[in-house]
Amino acid sequence: MYICVCHGISDKTITKLAIHHGAYEIRKIRQLTPLGSQCGKCVRPTKELLQKLAADHLLPQAC
Ligand code: FES
């Protein structure tokens, strides 16, 4: 499922970046992708996804 429709960034891509590349904060995701740089509607769902991953103990800390 696309989280960022403007740039075609999926929840799987964000999950992979967070778990395997240490991008577990929205700031780090935005350094690696153009997420949120157009309409910005994807920022909140991305934060929620990162919080869910953290709650599931898949990340070192919440964003
Ligand atoms: S949905 Fe991500 S910038 Fe528009």
Side-chain angles (χ1 to χ4, degrees):
M1 171 182 84
Y2 285 118
I3 285 193
C4 181
V5 176
C6 295
H7 298 290
I9 302 169
S10 69
D11 56 342
K12 288 183 181 178
T13 297
I14 292 168
T15 299
K16 186 163 64 175
L17 288 172
I19 293 175
H20 300 296
H21 299 280
Y24 48 81
E25 295 174 336
I26 192 79
R27 178 180 55 85
K28 292 181 181 177
I29 296 284
R30 294 183 73 175
Q31 287 174 348
L32 298 172
T33 72
L35 183 130
S37 64
Q38 197 159 332
C39 75
K41 290 181 180 175
C42 51
V43 173
R44 179 182 290 207
T46 300
K47 287 181 179 176
E48 291 170 354
L49 173 59
L50 293 173
Q51 288 169 351
K52 181 183 181 309
L53 293 171
D56 292 344
H57 305 289
L58 296 173
L59 304 180
Q61 64 185 43
C63 60

